[in-house]
Amino acid sequence: MQLTKVKDADRRWLIKAGSASLVLSLTACQSVLDVGEMAADANNGETYLATIRSEHGLPPLHPDPALEKAALQQAAYMARSGRMDHTTGWGKDFATRMRANGIEGAAAENIAYGRMAPDELFTRWMNSPGHRRNMLDPRFSRFGLAYAREARDASRRYWALVLGR
């Protein structure tokens, strides 16, 4: 009976040790996919969004630090993971990220990836029904826009635009 307890304890220890080494190796892999330059891009965003919204009879959106922070977090996450997604690898969905940043009420997010300047970015979003709807939503009065460049290819940017009340 004593021998069985030792074997079970050894087995549990091996599982824990193996899990810990897997986590450490995954963490090490993530550092290889470091983010290059990151930037909040409110100045460009404000101009493009004001033009888009005024053409549709809507008031301009104003830059907001909390929304900008949420956009920068999402852009950095996407650049690190190498994939475009509204959820993070840690299971945080859009609503959870908004609450964590103190953002309450209606909010929306547009994301994009590629080698594009802001003019092309906003043109693509306007040509996409869902993205267009977000930018023209009359409930929104504030925004945050940010990008993160891939470390391996600085010409590729992951963009995030977060809109809110």
Side-chain angles (χ1 to χ4, degrees), residues 61-80:
L61 299 173
H62 302 285
D64 178 88
L67 296 173
E68 192 170 86
K69 179 181 173 189
L72 195 55
Q73 289 170 342
Q74 185 60 17
Y77 166 74
M78 293 186 301
R80 277 189 204 100

Side-chain angles (χ1 to χ4, degrees), residues 3-158:
L3 187 58
T4 304
K5 286 182 182 178
V6 171
K7 286 184 179 180
D8 286 344
D10 288 345
R11 189 176 307 125
R12 283 192 299 274
W13 183 85
L14 285 172
I15 290 170
K16 286 180 183 177
S19 297
S21 66
L22 177 61
V23 168
L24 289 174
S25 67
L26 289 175
T27 304
C29 289
Q30 260 189 334
S31 66
V32 173
L33 297 173
D34 237 354
V35 175
E37 174 188 353
M38 294 187 321
D41 208 8
N43 292 338
N44 279 326
E46 191 168 18
T47 303
Y48 287 105
L49 288 166
T51 301
I52 289 166
R53 287 176 62 91
S54 69
E55 289 173 353
H56 293 87
L58 295 167
L61 299 173
H62 302 285
D64 178 88
L67 296 173
E68 192 170 86
K69 179 181 173 189
L72 195 55
Q73 289 170 342
Q74 185 60 17
Y77 166 74
M78 293 186 301
R80 277 189 204 100
S81 68
R83 65 186 180 102
M84 233 178 47
D85 198 346
H86 291 283
T87 60
T88 67
W90 302 107
K92 289 186 179 180
D93 62 9
F94 178 70
T96 302
R97 286 187 289 109
M98 293 305 101
R99 282 192 301 276
N101 281 293
I103 299 161
E104 297 177 6
E109 179 177 70
N110 288 358
I111 57 176
Y113 167 75
R115 292 181 177 102
M116 64 187 114
D119 60 336
E120 183 181 352
L121 171 71
F122 282 96
T123 299
R124 286 183 182 198
W125 278 339
M126 282 303 287
N127 290 325
S128 165
H131 295 110
R132 176 187 181 94
R133 184 174 43 252
N134 287 344
M135 292 187 298
L136 297 178
D137 191 321
R139 297 175 298 169
F140 299 140
S141 61
R142 303 174 298 129
F143 80 97
L145 176 67
Y147 68 83
R149 295 179 193 258
E150 281 187 351
R152 295 172 303 206
D153 182 351
S155 68
R156 292 185 180 171
R157 293 181 182 184
Y158 286 87

